[in-house]
Amino acid sequence: MSDLHVVLGATGAIGSAVVAALTARGHHVRAVSRHPTSGDGFAADVATAEGAVAACRDAAVVYQCAQPKYERWAEEFPAFTRSVLAGVEAAGAKLVMADNLYVYGPVTGPMTEDLPHAATNPQGRARAAVDALILDAHRAGRVRATLGRASDYYGPGGTNTTIGATIFAAALAGKTARWVGDLDQPHTVAYLPDIAAALVTLGEHDSADGRAWHLPAAEPITGRAFLDLVWAEAGGAPKSAGLGRGTQRLLGLVNPTVRALGETWYQRDRPFVADDSAFRTAFGPVEVTPHAAGVAATLAWYRAH
Ligand SMILES: NC(=O)c1ccc[n+]([C@@H]2O[C@H](COP(=O)([O-])OP(=O)(O)OC[C@H]3O[C@@H](n4cnc5c(N)ncnc54)[C@H](OP(=O)(O)O)[C@@H]3O)[C@@H](O)[C@H]2O)c1
């Protein structure tokens, strides 16, 4: 049987962390993106069925870490997913979807995997459509599939995230570090290498198939406490602020990604906490990176880039 693990979106933040995790566990890896940044990358457009079939050929497991632009999810993510499923099915492979927590929509209390897919905003509906396509394909026996859901991430290589440059690069430059949303709400924050390790665990276990899992993360933290960790490590006079709904609306006039963030503002003005106990019970014990260590490694990465 093949031990080829194919990573779609391998130059992205999660994809590159998955490549590193697979390599560390001794798996044979194919790293796919449209514009590979190194000679051993595989160039393919997986939004087309023929690109996805070529990218997935001979795979045992396919990690789906590629995505359309954030503000284009509603228009493009379902068709994108159909292409990826065609590639996975043609290879007779298993699919591991790098997912997020948008399907649930606004919730009261910690999120568990059995919550209804109640999102009404465009991005959440797109994610729910994607997840339904994947789980339907699994139930129909076309592919074996599992979904790993992570909250907002940070970490080395993590620039396409609200917990990125406006915090780490800003602190290193001695500027105000800005947390998107209310500074005092608990929020589950995922560290990229922890996400990657958990996705690979899902890829390695047949018992993961046919459902979604919340990926393990360190304890929920407020924006204020997170920024305190950043300043403690970065040094200098701490300057922290929350970026509120008014500023988001203003910036959104010129930036479509920031504009789209307004649709899911419920993630930023109240507690946003994921319960990861199902994963820990099924595949644990799991060691996650403490936030202080994750923040230190992320600052080191931003310093070097
Ligand atoms: N941001 C967060 O905090 C967060 C949290 C949890 C889950 N997620 C989800 O995790 C997944 C991965 O996110 P990410 O932030 O790691 O992604 P990312 O950094 O935006 O990277 C996307 C990757 O996909 C590739 N790609 C895009 N279109 C492609 C296509 N048509 N064919 C082949 N490759 C393509 C890109 O390379 P090329 O452009 O060269 O093709 C890149 O390697 C997404 O579904 C995201 O929503 C994100």
Side-chain angles (χ1 to χ4, degrees), residues 9-180:
T11 55
I14 294 182
S16 56
V18 170
V19 170
L22 286 166
T23 306
R25 292 195 200 180
H27 293 295
H28 178 200
V29 180
R30 180 186 295 146
V32 179
S33 61
R34 287 168 302 181
H35 314 289
T37 49
S38 70
D40 49 5
F42 184 102
D45 180 354
V46 302
T48 68
E50 77 187 348
V53 167
C56 298
R57 187 163 291 131
D58 300 326
V61 185
V62 175
Y63 299 83
Q64 184 357 21
C65 309
Q67 61 173 341
K69 281 203 174 80
Y70 185 69
E71 62 277 13
R72 299 284 306 163
W73 283 1
E75 294 82 1
E76 295 178 18
F77 224 150
F80 197 108
T81 303
R82 280 191 197 93
S83 295
V84 169
L85 283 168
V88 176
E89 183 176 9
K94 161 170 168 169
L95 175 64
V96 179
M97 175 71 193
D99 200 0
N100 63 12
L101 299 166
Y102 280 45
V103 283
Y104 307 119
V107 293
T108 50
M111 288 168 272
T112 48
E113 295 90 338
D114 55 358
L115 285 175
H117 295 183
T120 56
N121 61 82
Q123 291 106 323
R125 284 206 313 271
R127 297 303 302 217
V130 164
D131 290 10
L133 284 168
I134 292 171
L135 288 170
D136 286 351
H138 175 90
R139 278 189 287 266
R142 288 178 50 207
V143 300
R144 286 169 297 125
T146 179
L147 301 93
R149 294 191 177 133
S151 190
D152 304 76
Y153 65 61
Y154 75 103
T159 52
N160 192 11
T161 169
T162 51
I163 313 172
T166 56
I167 293 176
F168 295 100
L172 289 174
K175 296 184 179 154
T176 300
R178 285 182 206 281
W179 179 263
V180 179

Side-chain angles (χ1 to χ4, degrees), residues 7-8 31 38 87 106-107 120-121 124 137-138 151 158 165 192 194 198 210-211 243 273 293:
V7 182
L8 309 180
S38 70
V107 293
T120 56
N121 61 82
H138 175 90
S151 190
L192 280 166
D194 291 341
R211 57 162 287 182
L243 189 151
V273 171

Side-chain angles (χ1 to χ4, degrees), residues 166-248:
T166 56
I167 293 176
F168 295 100
L172 289 174
K175 296 184 179 154
T176 300
R178 285 182 206 281
W179 179 263
V180 179
D182 187 323
L183 278 172
D184 295 305
Q185 301 298 330
H187 199 98
T188 297
V189 168
Y191 183 56
L192 280 166
D194 291 341
I195 296 179
L199 289 172
V200 173
T201 295
L202 294 181
E204 290 172 339
H205 287 84
D206 291 347
S207 56
D209 299 355
R211 57 162 287 182
W213 302 87
H214 290 170
L215 304 180
E219 74 287 351
I221 186 167
T222 64
R224 195 179 301 283
F226 190 87
L227 296 181
D228 286 350
L229 290 177
V230 172
W231 285 111
E233 183 66 29
K239 282 178 275 178
S240 297
L243 189 151
R245 184 80 163 105
T247 311
Q248 175 269 330

